[in-house]
Amino acid sequence: MSNPYSNIFRIVATKLRPLLLILSLVVLYRGHQQPGGGFIGGLMAASAYILYALAFNSAEARKKLPLSTSALLGTGLTVIVVSALLSVMAGEPFMTGMWTTLHLPFGQELHLGTPVLFDAGVYLAVIGVLLTIMFDIIEIE
């Protein structure tokens, strides 16, 4: 089936994909303290690939993914379970937040914890589920 979209749409989809992915990572990270998080970040990342699939086709969009959609979903679910069980292994109640601070060059600090890990798992799972559904819908049409 030929693609009815113009070359302009394809160029826009190609240029927007990396920008949307970077923005999704920003939303993922800042979502712990402010609006956003893994779900919204995952929706943004998936929209980058959906836009690309609409401009080209789902096979081309699948080639651009670092992992298959099922691997993204499986990895996301695994990260969620691990983040929830880390507190149990430390003797704390299930899903208790555990934090650490990384000291970066130039006096910067990066606060990481199990809630961020949980959000990262949600991010990957949302991408995997949404792209599985949308690629199947695009391939049917």
Side-chain angles (χ1 to χ4, degrees):
M1 180 172 120
S2 67
N3 194 326
Y5 297 112
S6 70
N7 285 336
I8 294 172
F9 182 54
R10 290 179 178 176
I11 292 169
V12 168
T14 302
K15 301 295 183 191
L16 277 181
R17 190 176 59 86
L19 183 65
L20 285 170
L21 291 174
I22 291 170
L23 191 59
S24 74
L25 291 173
V26 171
V27 169
L28 166 67
Y29 182 70
R30 72 165 239 172
H32 180 69
Q33 302 293 340
Q34 299 172 3
F39 188 80
I40 301 297
L43 289 177
M44 292 176 70
S47 69
Y49 287 99
I50 292 167
L51 183 67
Y52 197 84
L54 290 172
F56 294 93
N57 58 49
S58 60
E60 290 297 319
R62 285 179 195 271
K63 289 179 186 174
K64 298 291 183 184
L65 281 171
L67 299 171
S68 69
T69 55
S70 58
L72 285 168
L73 176 59
T75 303
L77 291 175
T78 302
V79 170
I80 289 169
V81 170
V82 167
S83 72
L85 292 177
L86 282 175
S87 60
V88 173
M89 289 188 274
E92 298 289 332
F94 183 67
M95 293 191 78
T96 300
M98 300 172 58
W99 293 93
T100 188
T101 301
L102 297 178
H103 299 281
L104 302 174
F106 307 110
Q108 299 294 317
E109 292 181 340
L110 182 62
H111 302 284
L112 295 176
T114 53
V116 176
L117 191 61
F118 181 84
D119 272 346
V122 170
Y123 177 85
L124 293 173
V126 167
I127 294 171
V129 166
L130 193 57
L131 289 183
T132 298
I133 294 169
M134 292 308 296
F135 286 167
D136 285 347
I137 290 172
I138 291 170
E139 289 169 0
I140 289 172
E141 292 184 358

